[in-house]
Amino acid sequence: MWGHIWRHAVIWLALCFTFFPIVWVVSASFDGTNTLVQQSIIPIVPTLDNYRMLVREPRYPFFTWMWNSVKVSGTSAAISVFLCALAAYAFSRFRFRGRRTGLFALIMVQIFPQVLAVVSIYLLLLNIGRYVPWLGLNTHAGLIMVYLGGAIGVNTWLMKGYFDTIPRELEESALIDGASRFTTFTRIILPLARPILVVVFILSFIGTYSDFILARVLLQTNDKLTLAVGMNLFIGDQYAQRWGIFSAGALIASIPIVVIFLLLQKQLISGLTQGSVKG
């Protein structure tokens, strides 16, 4: 009896701890006070002014920031999946000189946190921009390249582990029937590896969509900012913090990630489960 009550108490406590921030953000988005001090869970005077401000305020192009984030995150995630799949297939299926060294180098590079190299990344893009302006500072292409550099190592290892579980006999049968290596890769391996491709895409998308530090350092003009950096402007002013508008923006900003989860949840669950079992 007491064990039953204790378990339910822990579950309800965990649910309250999980959902309280969401309830608070929803409440703040409809609260007209725009402050933390006077806000209550149920707004005294509910209003849509915070959402109207997101649409009408020209100083804060919220939907431009949101489009920039979706563009940068989607592009970097798609390219990351493509490059990691090629690299993982090569490491999984071929035996060549330097293979073990390459795998070891990938994991060693990944151990070093990318954010600790932010100064060198800044200087690197500064110099690249002198010769290739569209790839330098304050460009989305440059930011995408930085994100790719930080994501390929661990994702390649993740995919390689999954590719190792796919029987080689499937490819050998196709090769005997006259298929090329590229055909076996695109027609046999990639369809079977779809769960892990989806997992890598979603993790890469979420990681870059919510990144603040690198985007804050590398992007400079208002129209180039991503969502995390742009929304910081709502609360960055010591004397004019707009928590209501920030909360309204946070709710709208969560829509792309929720949509991706809803569309790909079956593949995501399958990929995580199979990866945990087969290593």
Side-chain angles (χ1 to χ4, degrees):
M1 177 65 181
W2 285 107
H4 184 74
I5 296 175
W6 182 83
R7 285 194 295 270
H8 278 77
V10 172
I11 291 173
W12 281 106
L13 181 63
L15 289 175
C16 292
F17 185 79
T18 302
F19 285 103
F20 177 76
I22 300 174
V23 173
W24 189 92
V25 169
V26 173
S27 171
S29 69
F30 292 102
D31 194 312
T33 59
N34 236 346
T35 65
L36 293 175
V37 179
Q38 302 177 9
Q39 184 195 338
S40 59
I41 292 297
I42 301 176
I44 299 175
V45 183
T47 178
L48 293 175
D49 287 347
N50 295 325
Y51 291 93
R52 294 191 185 98
M53 285 289 292
L54 287 178
V55 178
R56 297 174 180 174
E57 182 58 67
R59 291 179 301 168
Y60 305 110
F62 173 79
F63 291 100
T64 300
W65 299 337
M66 190 171 176
W67 166 242
N68 292 340
S69 288
V70 171
K71 180 175 61 177
V72 170
S73 302
T75 304
S76 61
I79 297 176
S80 176
V81 168
F82 176 71
L83 295 179
C84 290
L86 293 176
Y89 182 74
F91 282 121
S92 174
R93 289 298 190 265
F94 301 134
R95 298 294 180 267
F96 50 90
R97 179 178 297 179
R99 174 178 173 273
R100 292 179 61 85
T101 305
L103 286 170
F104 183 72
L106 278 177
I107 200 65
M108 288 301 295
V109 169
Q110 200 65 52
I111 291 175
F112 186 74
Q114 193 178 24
V115 68
L116 296 182
V118 65
V119 175
S120 57
I121 291 173
Y122 179 88
L123 295 175
L124 182 64
L125 289 190
L126 178 64
N127 286 285
I128 290 176
R130 293 172 180 167
Y131 304 97
V132 188
W134 58 271
L135 206 57
L137 287 174
N138 199 35
T139 63
H140 291 156
L143 184 62
I144 289 171
M145 295 298 291
V146 172
Y147 286 150
L148 288 176
I152 286 179
V154 65
N155 290 334
T156 300
W157 267 91
L158 194 64
M159 285 192 188
K160 177 191 174 296
Y162 195 92
F163 286 174
D164 288 342
T165 67
I166 299 176
R168 295 173 180 270
E169 289 77 8
L170 296 175
E171 293 173 85
E172 292 171 356
S173 299
L175 292 173
I176 292 174
D177 290 338
S180 64
R181 275 287 183 185
F182 184 75
T183 301
T184 59
F185 174 68
T186 55
R187 300 291 181 85
I188 296 176
I189 298 298
L190 289 185
L192 293 175
R194 186 171 53 187
I196 195 64
L197 302 181
V198 171
V199 169
V200 170
F201 179 86
I202 291 179
L203 294 181
S204 300
F205 186 90
I206 294 176
T208 53
Y209 191 77
S210 57
D211 174 67
F212 175 78
I213 297 178
L214 288 173
R216 178 68 182 86
V217 172
L218 302 179
L219 301 178
Q220 298 166 348
T221 58
N222 205 24
D223 62 320
K224 294 287 187 180
L225 298 182
T226 55
L227 201 54
V229 182
M231 287 182 60
N232 185 60
L233 299 178
F234 292 134
I235 56 175
D237 192 335
Q238 182 178 359
Y239 302 103
Q241 294 181 342
R242 307 169 181 84
W243 286 101
I245 303 175
F246 179 88
S247 300
L251 285 181
I252 297 176
S254 65
I255 292 176
I257 294 178
V258 173
V259 171
I260 289 176
F261 265 107
L262 291 177
L263 293 177
L264 303 176
Q265 57 182 329
K266 290 183 179 179
Q267 286 80 4
L268 175 65
I269 295 172
S270 174
L272 291 175
T273 304
Q274 293 184 26
S276 64
V277 173
K278 297 178 181 177

